Amino acid sequence: MFFFTRIKLYLLIAFAFAADILGIYFSGVQRGIDKTKSKIDKSRLDNISTAKKIEDEVDADPYLVDRANQWLRHKDK
């Protein structure tokens, strides 16, 4: 009878160890996913910021349309 109790204790310890290892692994995976999402969000914000700066530069130059018409094709031709 004592033998089965000892086996149960060893199995419980082994199960707890395996659960800890899996928990550490999956928390690392989640941390990697969060890091990747953070990089993507930062990249999107940088792109939005760059687009806003370009849009502001275009809006700030009132003669840009006149100069651009020299180089663009017109649809009616």
Side-chain angles (χ1 to χ4, degrees):
M1 192 67 167
F2 179 70
F3 180 71
F4 291 116
T5 307
R6 182 169 244 159
I7 290 177
K8 288 180 185 178
L9 177 65
Y10 290 146
L11 287 175
L12 182 64
I13 291 171
F15 178 74
F17 180 74
D20 287 342
I21 296 297
L22 287 174
I24 290 169
Y25 172 76
F26 286 120
S27 70
V29 168
Q30 186 61 42
R31 196 172 330 136
I33 291 170
D34 292 342
K35 187 184 247 186
T36 303
K37 285 182 181 180
S38 174
K39 285 181 183 180
I40 291 170
D41 291 342
K42 184 181 182 312
S43 175
R44 286 182 181 169
L45 287 175
D46 290 343
N47 291 340
I48 290 170
S49 175
T50 303
K52 179 67 176 151
K53 287 178 186 177
I54 292 171
E55 186 177 329
D56 289 345
E57 287 178 17
V58 169
D59 290 341
D61 190 358
Y63 302 108
L64 179 67
V65 174
D66 296 331
R67 290 194 317 251
N69 279 332
Q70 296 173 358
W71 299 100
L72 297 176
R73 295 183 192 161
H74 298 285
K75 289 185 177 182
D76 57 340
K77 290 186 180 180

